[in-house]
Amino acid sequence: ELKDMINDLKKMIKTLQATVDAANKREEALTQERDNLKEEIDLLRKKLFGTSSEKRTIDIPGQLNFFNEAELEQDPEAVKAEDLEALLPEKTAKKRKARATDAERFKGVPVEKKYLELSEEEKLCPACGTPLKEIGEEFVRRELVFVPAKLKVYEYYSKSYECPQCRLQDIPVIKKGKDGRSHMLYGMASAGTVAWVMYQKFCNGLPYYRQEKDWKQYGVEITRATMANWVIRNSKAFFLPMYEYFHRKLLERGFAMADETPLQVLHEPERRAQTKSYMWLFRSGEDGGPPIILYKYSETRAGDNAVDFLHGFKGYLMCDGYSGYNKVPDAKRTACWAHIRRYLTDAIPKGKALDYTQPSVQGMLYINQLFHLEDVIRSKYSSFDAIKKARLEKEKPVVEGFLSWLGQQSPIRGGRMDKAVTYIQNRRSYLSTYLEDGRCSFSNNLSENAIRPFTVGRKNWLFCDTPNGAQASAIVYTMVEMAKANGVNVYHYLTYLLEKLPDDRMSDDELELLAPWNETVKAEIERRANGSNQSYVNCQGAPTTEK
């Protein structure tokens, strides 16, 4: 009986121990889940209330020692020839940007002198009554005057002429006046008027319903539907050939960048209004050629959209971590180090930014150093071969050290550090691709900066009504951003294109003469901008015209 009791007690102990172990595991899992949720709350609070800047300083105490240890552990030969400190460039203090002078701020604005005169009584000497003699002038103050836009309606009439002699012989000869071209724009609007509607929405983010109110202030009623019709029909007819030409020029380049952002289109066939559509951005890389920026609307985010748009492209493709770009067959992916930094920044626990025992802080030290080196190399060298050589000499050891550090990480599953490590590991094969050519981009920041005007405008006009409107938005945004990137006045370039009326019958050589990087076009746009400043000046620096 005692032996049986002992055996029963032993079984009971095992059962109780198993129950305790299971409870401990549950408690550990719940604790980890709680910690993960706390991390998520901290991250959301940081995104909601914290700074959005990604700038980080590399002047942190102990950072240099950390790099020495990492390099020696990864590859002692990498720092055998010279100390890591000697490899690093000298840190120079950034000069504060000088305050712009009035001459710089008002450059190109016509100046009209206003004189403060004396009255006729005051022009007499108070002592003897002798008329005073002018001896000079003195500057008092400077004012910037805004002259509002004006509207005009031009009614064109063709004058007819007849030969009186031929009429007597029953052979009428009649001639009518012509201006050499037909009015081909859609709607009763001049090229400048249509360009102004486009400029207001796609450059200043002013929705059609606000422009509708603005037109009423000038004394005319132009509905938002009318303005939308102007933009859709004229962009499809006259901007689309230029858009397709820019597309062909982009596919000839060896370096490209891409990004995408959600878009809501209300009346897509067989889709709910709440369904997400997407606006894609494709642009040229940092290869020294003229910048090319293209927007593309699609109903989905499927990678096939990138495949179709980049069909025929062969070269390096810089983009974010979206796997859809992997479908582009002949493109060699490069990883965006800014996205990697973003994931590690989010993984830093609250209040632990200077705690070097935190793996996320250690990873940030590597990446901050790479960004610093990239800035110094880009500012020091202009030759792409020199940039490649400097990258291999100074950045490659840091990249290798980062990859060695990455292989040693084993974060707790489900945490932010686990997400960061997983994200980086999935793109490990692309991290060193940018070292192969000095023209490769280090990050995808250029694409994100190029797509930002669309995201800012989207906050104002919120959605597109139809797919035709979304496609027109992509085309007009392309023309606007192409003008900005090539340094020409946006409004005057849109007007210039609507006056030249490019069509699909033009050859590439003819379309090249209308491109914003063409020196003749730049000179013409500058002449128009300076000419319009002689009459009207917008306080934001954008010229206005009589319509």
Side-chain angles (χ1 to χ4, degrees), residues 335-366:
C336 173
W337 283 88
H339 281 78
I340 294 174
R341 178 175 63 179
R342 202 168 298 160
Y343 271 80
L344 287 174
T345 301
D346 293 342
I348 297 177
K350 183 179 180 181
K352 302 290 186 179
L354 297 179
D355 184 358
Y356 306 129
T357 63
Q358 296 291 330
S360 53
V361 177
Q362 296 171 4
M364 283 294 297
L365 293 177
Y366 282 104

